[in-house]
Amino acid sequence: MTTPQTPAPHELAALRRRYRLERERRVRPDGAAQYRDADAGFGYYAADPYTQETTGRGPLHDTVRVAVIGGGFGGILTGAHLRRQGVDSVRIIEKGGDFGGTWYWNRYPGVHCDIESHVYLPMLDETGYVPEWKYAPGDEIRRHAVRIARKYGLYADALFSTGVTALTWEQATETWTVTTDRGDAFRAAYVVSATGTLTDPKLPGIPGIEDFAGHTFHTSRWDYAYTGGTPQGGMTGLADKRVGVVGTGATGIQAIPMLAQDAQHLYVFQRTPSTVDVRDNRRTTARDVGADRENWARERRENYLRIVSGESAEQDLVADRWTMSATLLEKLLPSFRRHGDRQAFEAAYEVADAAKMNELRARVDQTVTDPGTAEKLKPWYRYACKRPAFSDHYYPAFNRDNVTLVDTADTHGIERITEHGVTAGTTTYELDCLIFATGFNVGTSGIHSGRLPVHGRGGVQLLHKWARQGPRTLHGFTSNGFPNLIQLGPLQNASSVNFTHILDEQATHAAALITAAETAGALIEPSTMTEDAWIAVLTDSAPDHEWFHAQCTPGYYNREGHGRPNNPTAYPHGAITFHKLLKHWRDHSITEILQNPRNTTTPHT
């Protein structure tokens, strides 16, 4: 593909106007409130279709050293690192029927990771596994999660098909009481929350959604009993079905080409098109990735993190569209802090951004044969406004006679769902099956959303405390008043497009905290002064990206066009620097949060 020439100043001005107009076509006054949770009357959208029967067991009332909430990669890696540190009593509680987290739930047709598998899959060096594909299919990722869990004996005390309902600190015993929806009420000296940010499906709050009489489900709970087939395709159950898909984000882009092959007719309901760059997936060999070297995967993963974090590297070992476009992620990741003339940088950044977006829009014209459809598929916004997507099959799907693109931008989304279909504009599309590829409540774990209440010292609830003061942590992991509670996730921590790397570093840190506390006979709890110091680090150097996202098309990065949260959420100097900071802190300062000896009743401040 020929890259379009660098845009001239008058072309940049025209792009700004076009971006502004396209944004206004899509922004809604209700913002994030346009979505609803898959609970209460819509709980069937979140039901587990992969584990038909839960194992009968009685409620547990025992005691463990460490309870880990979540059986995705965060929980698995925490358990593995604890095992490597010699901690035997580890119980993982997972609401799915097996390990895997988001890869347990997401089994839709065409599911793959969009990060190269050799850097995305953790513990490749430790397990001796070399991924089969450059971009692994979901089943390969899920099997690797199981591989790690088996290697480190995490199945022995795991609780599956179990959701944690509350955490309560018991001062007398200095343990957490963990209650679940299976009647459990056991104690744990330490609790690690690894519930992830891509687990709770969300639905659009479209009027009439409950009236649809056809078959319906969310992509993260794919109903193969209805569609037939597997994630590789072959959905013979759709051969005589009119199928509608709502959503054209990362999931829709992977599922839509597969549905196009098998459905009698497919209607794709789009509000905002994604950027869709080249994927070029292929099988790989050990030689391709240098897997004959010791620590080959760690070296490759660190190289990737360095490049996508805006740091220099002598060689790009992955060399894909993520690393080639890394500098354009500056508005998503605080790691891209630039020094010097900011005005000159912003001008050069806008030019590079426009050139990339022109390239991506040209790709649509070169692939989609119908000019009207091609125009609707073009993304009119800055590159970092939405998470980039990659596919070699998405655009060709719209050249099929049985695929219809329904653009809903002018009506700010679908207007109504009826008993027999979907109304957009003046047209009602009759459907037999309606599939929601509408994603998840991104960035909110059960603790942060309030679905998992946490009561610490004196019965104080974590969210009530944070409602008054804002989120307060040390390094994003621990909080004053909530001893021996460690939270994994992006809050006040580092971030990266390759989040499994971040989770591995977080799990390493969590295991080190618990090991140090066990050795010292102390509780893990930062002082309020330590929290203050960390909040100051986050706020003093926080990059100002609010203006950028205010101009973006609506999405979860900017709270559906209504701005980003005011509270600092990420370490401002990038993942590479943050990981170095954590290691230095573990080596030299870890005792600063172990100053509260056991059997004391007053938290240190």
Side-chain angles (χ1 to χ4, degrees):
M1 179 184 300
T2 302
T3 302
Q5 295 181 347
T6 300
H10 73 278
E11 294 174 307
L12 288 177
L15 273 180
R16 293 187 204 111
R17 289 193 297 271
R18 180 68 184 269
Y19 289 171
R20 184 169 58 253
L21 290 173
E22 293 289 341
R23 178 188 186 278
E24 292 307 313
R25 292 178 66 203
R26 293 170 174 86
V27 70
R28 293 166 51 118
D30 51 356
Q34 67 189 274
Y35 297 103
R36 63 180 65 185
D37 294 334
D39 57 10
F42 296 91
Y44 57 89
Y45 280 102
D48 187 348
Y50 312 122
T51 301
Q52 301 304 323
E53 296 182 9
T54 57
T55 303
R57 64 171 178 83
L60 299 179
H61 300 281
D62 56 351
T63 300
V64 296
R65 294 308 294 163
V66 185
V68 180
I69 308 173
F73 275 123
I76 294 168
L77 291 169
T78 298
H81 285 294
L82 284 168
R83 287 280 197 262
R84 289 161 65 92
Q85 293 287 344
V87 180
D88 294 327
S89 181
V90 179
R91 173 175 291 160
I92 297 180
I93 309 99
E94 165 59 39
K95 65 181 179 180
D98 200 350
F99 287 113
T102 190
W103 300 104
Y104 173 85
W105 296 112
N106 285 278
R107 307 189 192 193
Y108 56 84
V111 59
H112 281 68
C113 184
D114 65 1
I115 304 294
E116 192 202 62
S117 58
H118 307 93
V119 299
Y120 181 81
L121 295 183
M123 288 196 159
L124 294 177
D125 295 312
E126 292 84 349
T127 59
Y129 182 67
V130 181
E132 301 173 27
W133 291 86
K134 185 171 179 67
Y135 302 98
D139 185 62
E140 184 178 7
I141 301 172
R142 187 168 61 255
R143 285 186 280 111
H144 186 63
V146 169
R147 180 180 295 112
I148 298 172
R150 286 176 175 164
K151 176 179 177 65
Y152 291 100
L154 302 180
Y155 276 95
D157 200 18
L159 302 181
F160 295 116
S161 301
T162 302
V164 177
T165 55
L167 299 173
T168 305
W169 176 252
E170 306 291 350
Q171 186 62 50
T173 59
E174 293 184 334
T175 58
W176 287 95
T177 294
V178 182
T179 58
T180 78
D181 57 8
R182 300 283 296 276
D184 306 304
F186 60 87
R187 291 177 176 176
Y190 308 90
V191 172
V192 180
S193 172
T195 54
T197 62
L198 296 174
T199 57
D200 296 323
K202 68 181 181 183
L203 300 168
I206 302 172
I209 186 173
E210 66 277 6
D211 297 332
F212 183 63
H215 200 76
T216 181
F217 54 87
H218 191 276
T219 49
S220 66
R221 308 293 191 269
W222 197 271
D223 190 352
Y224 284 105
Y226 176 83
T227 67
T230 69
Q232 288 73 49
M235 293 175 284
T236 56
L238 301 180
D240 61 347
K241 301 295 191 299
R242 299 159 299 179
V243 180
V245 175
V246 180
T248 54
T251 296
I253 283 166
Q254 295 188 104
I256 285 165
M258 308 294 285
L259 289 166
Q261 293 178 21
D262 295 332
Q264 179 192 81
H265 199 94
L266 178 66
Y267 295 92
V268 178
F269 297 95
Q270 167 194 276
R271 185 181 66 175
T272 305
S274 292
T275 59
V276 186
D277 210 335
V278 173
R279 160 59 71 225
D280 190 25
N281 197 11
R282 58 189 182 275
R283 288 192 177 273
T284 56
T285 66
R287 173 176 290 185
D288 292 336
V289 295
D292 55 335
R293 302 190 309 275
E294 186 177 1
N295 292 324
W296 69 273
R298 180 173 294 277
E299 175 188 346
R300 193 177 186 89
R301 187 175 66 172
E302 290 288 343
N303 174 265
Y304 182 84
L305 183 66
R306 180 170 294 279
I307 292 172
V308 297
S309 296
E311 310 236 359
S312 60
E314 293 183 3
Q315 182 182 2
D316 181 353
L317 296 177
V318 172
D320 67 359
R321 294 297 169 130
W322 276 113
T323 58
M324 292 176 188
S325 304
T327 55
L328 295 179
L329 301 175
E330 192 263 351
K331 300 297 187 244
L332 291 181
L333 303 173
S335 46
F336 285 84
R337 293 283 293 161
R338 295 289 191 267
H339 301 286
D341 187 342
R342 189 70 192 182
Q343 185 174 1
F345 166 76
E346 291 294 351
Y349 181 89
E350 184 180 20
V351 170
D353 186 295
K356 179 63 181 179
M357 293 302 293
N358 284 342
E359 173 193 329
L360 293 173
R361 287 186 287 267
R363 185 179 187 228
V364 181
D365 284 328
Q366 293 165 1
T367 310
V368 180
T369 55
D370 178 68
T373 302
E375 190 60 34
K376 294 174 184 176
L377 287 167
K378 291 178 183 178
W380 294 99
Y381 47 80
R382 300 281 289 269
Y383 186 76
C385 285
K386 295 177 73 70
R387 183 179 174 95
F390 309 86
S391 174
D392 298 327
H393 308 293
Y394 181 67
Y395 290 142
F398 293 95
N399 294 330
R400 300 176 61 101
D401 292 337
N402 70 322
V403 177
T404 299
L405 176 66
V406 182
D407 186 73
T408 67
D410 287 329
T411 55
H412 300 281
I414 293 171
E415 292 175 274
R416 183 166 186 83
I417 296 176
T418 70
E419 181 180 0
H420 301 293
V422 167
T423 299
T426 60
T427 305
T428 296
Y429 301 86
E430 293 194 357
L431 304 172
D432 300 297
C433 177
L434 181 58
I435 302 169
F436 292 105
T438 44
F440 306 88
N441 291 310
V442 178
T444 58
S445 68
I447 290 178
H448 299 156
S449 68
R451 289 186 299 275
L452 173 52
V454 178
H455 293 89
R457 290 186 185 275
V460 175
Q461 189 168 339
L462 180 65
L463 285 192
H464 291 171
K465 182 176 181 179
W466 283 5
R468 298 190 302 269
Q469 305 173 339
R472 295 181 58 80
T473 72
L474 172 61
H475 301 146
F477 295 98
T478 57
S479 294
N480 181 261
F482 301 87
N484 289 4
L485 173 65
I486 303 171
Q487 298 188 60
L488 307 192
L491 179 68
Q492 298 185 352
N493 204 290
S495 190
S496 173
V497 296
N498 183 19
F499 201 65
T500 54
H501 189 170
I502 300 298
L503 287 174
D504 199 13
E505 295 288 345
Q506 292 184 353
T508 298
H509 191 72
L513 288 174
I514 292 171
T515 302
E518 288 284 271
T519 301
L523 299 176
I524 303 169
E525 184 179 8
S527 67
T528 56
M529 292 179 61
T530 304
E531 288 180 334
D532 289 342
W534 182 242
I535 298 300
V537 169
L538 299 178
T539 55
D540 288 350
S541 301
D544 178 16
H545 292 162
E546 184 78 19
W547 64 269
F548 177 89
H549 289 278
Q551 299 174 5
C552 279
T553 193
Y556 61 79
Y557 286 149
N558 65 359
R559 295 175 60 225
E560 296 298 331
H562 291 265
R564 306 188 87 186
N566 293 326
N567 291 317
T569 58
Y571 177 70
H573 302 297
I576 295 289
T577 303
F578 183 69
H579 294 162
K580 291 178 181 177
L581 178 153
L582 284 185
K583 186 179 185 307
H584 185 271
W585 182 86
R586 290 195 299 267
D587 291 342
H588 301 284
S589 305
I590 196 169
T591 56
E592 73 180 34
I593 63 168
L594 303 177
Q595 298 171 0
N596 189 11
R598 295 198 183 280
N599 298 319
T600 60
T601 58
T602 304
H604 63 290
T605 59

